[in-house]
Amino acid sequence: MYYAPVFGQDFTGATIVEDWALGFMHAVSMRQIAWEPVLSDDDTAMLLIPIAAIAGLAMPDGAEDELSLPDEVMDKLVEEAPDVLPSCVLGLRIFW
């Protein structure tokens, strides 16, 4: 079976990853108890960090930023997100 996030594109053709990441983390927050096994496993929990960091970019201004990365790191993460996020999804799927 193949698991991969489906990203949107803006009018220039650039991939938009923030909305997907925000939706993913919203879904995780809706089922916190179900996600406890992932959060209890240090290696697997690391797979949520890139998703959560990118989700923070889609939060409205003034929202509390729980996971803040240096600008250079965040820029690189967003640039590589179309490759990084599918790897995170696959790792989470393998865990389950």
Side-chain angles (χ1 to χ4, degrees):
M1 219 172 233
Y2 179 75
Y3 293 90
V6 177
F7 303 123
Q9 290 187 327
D10 67 13
F11 66 93
T12 67
T15 302
I16 302 170
V17 294
E18 296 89 344
D19 294 339
W20 178 89
L22 182 61
F24 188 95
M25 292 309 298
H26 180 68
V28 169
S29 73
M30 291 173 57
R31 300 283 313 261
Q32 289 179 357
I33 292 172
W35 280 87
E36 282 181 8
V38 168
L39 298 172
S40 297
D41 183 275
D42 291 341
D43 292 333
T44 307
M46 297 291 287
L47 297 172
L48 291 173
I49 291 174
I51 301 170
I54 291 171
L57 296 174
M59 297 294 291
D61 289 339
E64 193 172 318
D65 186 10
E66 293 182 22
L67 181 59
S68 179
L69 298 173
D71 289 343
E72 306 81 39
V73 174
M74 198 64 195
D75 291 344
K76 185 157 180 67
L77 177 58
V78 170
E79 179 183 320
E80 296 176 356
D83 296 320
V84 170
L85 296 180
S87 296
C88 294
V89 170
L90 179 60
L92 291 166
R93 175 62 185 128
I94 289 169
F95 174 83
W96 293 113

